Amino acid sequence: MKTKIFLNLAVKDLNKAVAFYNELGFPTNPKFTNEKGACIVIDENIFVMLLVEEFYKTFTKKQICDASKASEVLISISLDSREKVDETIQKAIKAGGTDYIEAKDYGWMYQRTFLDVDGHHWEVFYMDESQIPNEM
């Protein structure tokens, strides 16, 4: 079995959060979705579990971070092209997210950042590995 990654994020409004990610083009897996949480499919082996705050609290003794005020994690995903990066940012804005940081173009890598409807920090980027400088 291949390793799978499940990112668990606390959300205030499950329906609003699911709608946001669906608008980005990421489908919901109904097999792992109910009124307490939803499984968003990012890729074949990468998933985001959106968990309502009360349910999320059952997995930790720590206080839940208010992602609109503090950074809890930086989530980065690579995309197939610069155009896909820009397209994803536009979808995020249209779905209620925020274009958070000005685009960065390193020549070999193009990166943009959005915040989802709960303030979770996402970086989307395109990287041409053949163009990575020998000295970083």
Side-chain angles (χ1 to χ4, degrees):
M1 180 175 138
K2 289 187 175 185
T3 299
K4 297 178 187 290
I5 296 174
F6 290 84
L7 302 168
N8 293 270
L9 300 176
V11 299
K12 295 185 184 322
D13 182 327
L14 184 61
N15 292 329
K16 184 176 179 181
V18 168
F20 175 83
Y21 287 97
N22 290 166
E23 284 292 319
L24 292 181
F26 300 127
T28 303
N29 180 341
K31 185 175 182 179
F32 300 110
T33 299
N34 60 29
E35 69 282 350
K36 295 179 183 179
C39 179
I40 303 297
V41 181
I42 302 296
D43 200 8
E44 179 182 0
N45 294 307
I46 303 171
F47 309 88
V48 175
M49 297 300 298
L50 303 173
L51 306 176
V52 294
E53 289 181 344
E54 289 305 313
F55 186 53
Y56 187 98
K57 288 178 184 178
T58 67
F59 295 96
T60 184
K61 295 178 183 178
K62 294 181 178 183
Q63 182 177 354
I64 295 175
C65 175
D66 181 347
S68 69
K69 296 179 182 174
S71 180
E72 63 178 329
V73 65
L74 303 175
I75 305 163
S76 300
I77 57 173
S78 65
L79 300 174
D80 294 334
S81 68
R82 295 170 60 97
E83 294 77 20
K84 290 275 188 194
V85 169
D86 289 337
E87 181 181 302
T88 300
I89 293 295
Q90 291 309 311
K91 286 180 180 179
I93 294 167
K94 184 179 177 188
T98 303
D99 185 355
Y100 185 58
I101 296 176
E102 189 174 317
K104 296 178 183 172
D105 190 345
Y106 301 99
W108 57 275
M109 183 172 75
Y110 178 65
Q111 172 187 332
R112 294 192 63 187
T113 304
F114 71 86
L115 302 179
D116 71 10
V117 294
D118 285 284
H120 301 291
H121 183 136
W122 287 81
E123 295 183 347
V124 290
F125 67 94
Y126 166 71
M127 180 170 43
D128 182 347
E129 292 186 37
S130 71
Q131 299 299 313
I132 297 174
N134 290 332
E135 296 177 17
M136 291 289 293

Coordinates of all heavy atoms in Angstrom, one line a residue, residues 106 108-109 127 131-136:
Y106 N 10.8 32.9 -9.3 CA 12.2 32.7 -9.1 C 12.9 32.2 -10.4 O 14.0 31.8 -10.5 CB 12.5 31.7 -8.0 CG 11.9 32.1 -6.7 CD1 10.7 31.6 -6.2 CD2 12.6 32.9 -5.9 CE1 10.2 31.9 -5.0 CE2 12.1 33.3 -4.6 CZ 10.9 32.8 -4.2 OH 10.4 33.2 -3.0
W108 N 12.8 29.5 -12.0 CA 12.6 28.0 -12.0 C 11.4 27.6 -11.2 O 10.9 26.5 -11.3 CB 13.9 27.3 -11.5 CG 14.3 27.8 -10.1 CD1 15.0 28.9 -9.8 CD2 13.9 27.2 -8.9 NE1 15.2 29.0 -8.4 CE2 14.5 28.0 -7.8 CE3 13.2 26.1 -8.5 CZ2 14.3 27.7 -6.5 CZ3 13.0 25.8 -7.2 CH2 13.6 26.6 -6.2
M109 N 10.9 28.6 -10.4 CA 9.7 28.3 -9.6 C 8.8 29.5 -9.5 O 9.3 30.6 -9.3 CB 10.1 27.9 -8.1 CG 8.9 27.5 -7.3 SD 9.3 26.8 -5.7 CE 9.8 28.2 -4.8
M127 N 7.1 24.3 -10.4 CA 8.5 24.2 -10.4 C 9.0 23.4 -11.5 O 8.6 22.3 -11.8 CB 9.0 23.6 -9.1 CG 10.5 23.5 -8.9 SD 11.1 22.9 -7.3 CE 9.9 21.6 -6.8
Q131 N 15.4 23.5 -14.2 CA 16.0 24.9 -14.2 C 16.5 25.3 -12.8 O 16.9 26.4 -12.6 CB 14.9 25.9 -14.6 CG 14.4 25.6 -16.1 CD 15.6 25.7 -17.1 OE1 16.3 26.7 -17.0 NE2 15.7 24.8 -18.0
I132 N 16.4 24.4 -11.8 CA 16.9 24.7 -10.5 C 18.4 25.0 -10.5 O 19.2 24.2 -11.0 CB 16.6 23.6 -9.5 CG1 15.1 23.3 -9.4 CG2 17.2 23.9 -8.1 CD1 14.7 22.1 -8.5
P133 N 18.8 26.2 -10.0 CA 20.2 26.5 -10.0 C 21.0 25.5 -9.2 O 20.5 24.9 -8.2 CB 20.3 27.9 -9.3 CG 18.9 28.4 -9.3 CD 18.0 27.2 -9.4
N134 N 22.3 25.2 -9.6 CA 23.1 24.3 -8.9 C 23.4 24.8 -7.5 O 23.5 24.0 -6.6 CB 24.5 24.1 -9.6 CG 24.3 23.3 -10.9 OD1 23.4 22.5 -11.0 ND2 25.1 23.6 -11.9
E135 N 23.5 26.1 -7.3 CA 23.8 26.7 -6.0 C 22.5 27.4 -5.5 O 22.1 28.3 -6.2 CB 25.0 27.6 -6.1 CG 26.2 26.9 -6.4 CD 27.4 27.9 -6.6 OE1 27.3 29.0 -6.1 OE2 28.4 27.5 -7.2
M136 N 22.0 26.9 -4.4 CA 20.8 27.6 -3.9 C 21.2 28.5 -2.7 O 21.8 28.2 -1.9 CB 19.8 26.5 -3.4 CG 19.2 25.7 -4.5 SD 18.1 26.6 -5.5 CE 16.8 26.9 -4.4

